[in-house]
Amino acid sequence: AAAVAASSVVGGGGNSTAGAAAATLGAKPVGQDEQIPVLIITHARAQYLRRALDSVFRFRRQADRFPVFASQDGDDRDVAKVLEEHVQKGLLYRFFRFTPPKELVSGPG
């Protein structure tokens, strides 16, 4: 149901199924000028990331209204390359890289 509601927002058309889904989820209607950021979280699967990004950009109509951010969990070079390519093309607004510390502290003891 959530995917139907999201596709209605991106497509800009009215959809009674999407309206019912939004009501079920307790969501309020989205204003026409409201910005709706898209966040993609990724880890170590560059080919799936590329497909996901291409899909988002294929259906996104207003870049300023639907900015796309990505968060890379880890340091996979192929994933970083895909993200950099999309930033350079001006499609991906920004991406963040999270690399966990080599040694995790477990607390006192």
Side-chain angles (χ1 to χ4, degrees):
V4 172
S7 67
S8 175
V9 172
V10 173
N15 183 326
S16 60
T17 305
T24 302
L25 296 173
K28 64 180 183 177
V30 177
Q32 291 297 321
D33 296 329
E34 192 170 349
Q35 191 177 59
I36 304 169
V38 177
L39 174 62
I40 296 176
I41 300 172
T42 183
H43 175 77
R45 293 194 174 166
Q47 71 276 16
Y48 295 120
L49 172 62
R50 184 178 302 282
R51 286 175 49 196
L53 287 170
D54 290 346
S55 178
V56 166
F57 297 130
R58 184 174 32 253
F59 294 105
R60 181 180 72 169
R61 301 289 181 244
Q62 301 169 305
D64 57 335
R65 184 160 180 226
F66 301 99
V68 180
F69 298 85
S71 178
Q72 179 183 1
D73 185 10
D75 57 358
D76 185 283
R77 290 182 183 187
D78 292 333
V79 168
K81 182 179 176 183
V82 170
L83 294 172
E84 277 295 332
E85 288 172 6
H86 283 80
V87 168
Q88 290 175 0
K89 290 178 185 176
L91 298 171
L92 184 64
Y93 183 74
R94 188 170 175 191
F95 79 91
F96 307 93
R97 183 175 296 131
F98 172 75
T99 304
K102 299 295 180 194
E103 184 177 314
L104 297 176
V105 179
S106 62

